Amino acid sequence: MLIKKAISQLLQVRFFLDQINPEEYNCKMSILRGSSIGGHVRHILEFYQCLLMDSSSNEVNYDQRKRNMLLEENLKFSTDFLVEIIDKLEKVEANRRILLVAEYDNEITKMETSLYREIAYNIEHTIHHLAILAMAVKIEFVHIKLPEELGYADSTLKFIRKQMVNV
């Protein structure tokens, strides 16, 4: 189920990308502190890349992501790369222990985690960035119609639906 959810989230990113053109993808927006849709998409994809494509060992270090500007600037390249990530997710066979490496206040921290835990983290990370992008698009590109549930966690959607029933 976890893998299906991750793929579902990435398909939401894909749906989002299919709604915009290259100029919109690259547009620097003040509401995004000068970042672009492409910058946020690159960020999402590179976290998955760190976890699924770059790890020849049993470590993941999101701080060491490549920051590939092609992902940020080229809509087609990003869409193709997203398909590669989905393909990698579809091939995940089992959970395994991995080591998360991170740097805080110039000090390296290593902690045990698992592949599934990090996939869950990437799902939440994707939701977070989709929420930011959905807000920016509503302000900057009003002609783009995105699903209302874009950028909401499942638990939040469940809560909202329950509230609507109780009204």
Side-chain angles (χ1 to χ4, degrees), residues 99-148:
L99 197 61
L100 176 63
V101 180
E103 185 175 329
Y104 299 101
D105 295 328
N106 296 316
E107 190 172 314
I108 301 292
T109 302
K110 294 184 178 189
M111 60 204 93
E112 288 186 18
T113 186
S114 71
L115 178 61
Y116 284 3
R117 172 62 190 100
E118 294 306 309
I119 290 172
Y121 169 73
N122 274 268
I123 290 168
E124 299 302 321
H125 181 252
T126 300
I127 291 167
H128 166 75
H129 282 277
L130 286 174
I132 293 168
L133 290 174
M135 288 185 288
V137 164
K138 280 186 177 187
I139 293 168
E140 298 286 333
F141 303 117
V142 294
H143 63 282
I144 298 173
K145 302 299 179 214
L146 297 172
E148 284 299 316

Side-chain angles (χ1 to χ4, degrees), residues 5-163:
K5 185 60 184 178
I7 291 170
S8 172
Q9 284 295 317
L10 290 172
L11 289 173
Q12 283 192 347
V13 174
R14 173 68 190 265
F15 177 81
F16 179 83
L17 295 180
D18 288 344
Q19 305 305 307
I20 63 175
N21 63 46
E23 292 76 28
E24 293 162 338
Y25 187 73
N26 288 303
C27 180
K28 306 289 186 203
M29 293 181 253
S30 60
I31 193 157
L32 296 178
R33 294 180 156 178
S35 185
S36 63
I37 293 170
H40 283 264
V41 170
R42 175 190 56 76
H43 187 72
I44 292 167
L45 297 180
E46 286 185 337
F47 269 58
Y48 273 105
Q49 178 183 30
C50 287
L51 181 62
L52 299 170
M53 301 169 98
D54 290 345
S55 186
S56 56
S57 68
N58 280 332
E59 289 187 356
V60 63
N61 185 335
Y62 300 115
D63 297 335
Q64 296 296 318
R65 59 192 184 279
K66 294 180 178 169
R67 293 170 171 85
N68 183 344
M69 294 312 287
L70 267 177
L71 287 172
E72 186 165 330
E73 297 169 353
N74 188 307
L75 179 58
K76 169 116 174 60
F77 183 82
S78 296
T79 303
D80 292 345
F81 194 77
L82 187 147
V83 170
E84 287 181 49
I85 290 170
I86 290 173
D87 183 59
K88 283 283 193 185
L89 277 166
E90 289 173 336
K91 292 177 180 166
V92 169
E93 293 180 5
N95 195 14
R96 61 182 164 81
R97 291 187 151 309
I98 57 177
L99 197 61
L100 176 63
V101 180
E103 185 175 329
Y104 299 101
D105 295 328
N106 296 316
E107 190 172 314
I108 301 292
T109 302
K110 294 184 178 189
M111 60 204 93
E112 288 186 18
T113 186
S114 71
L115 178 61
Y116 284 3
R117 172 62 190 100
E118 294 306 309
I119 290 172
Y121 169 73
N122 274 268
I123 290 168
E124 299 302 321
H125 181 252
T126 300
I127 291 167
H128 166 75
H129 282 277
L130 286 174
I132 293 168
L133 290 174
M135 288 185 288
V137 164
K138 280 186 177 187
I139 293 168
E140 298 286 333
F141 303 117
V142 294
H143 63 282
I144 298 173
K145 302 299 179 214
L146 297 172
E148 284 299 316
E149 68 272 6
L150 189 78
Y152 283 99
D154 286 357
S155 61
T156 304
L157 290 171
K158 186 176 178 181
F159 177 78
I160 291 169
R161 288 180 189 121
K162 184 178 177 184
Q163 296 298 339

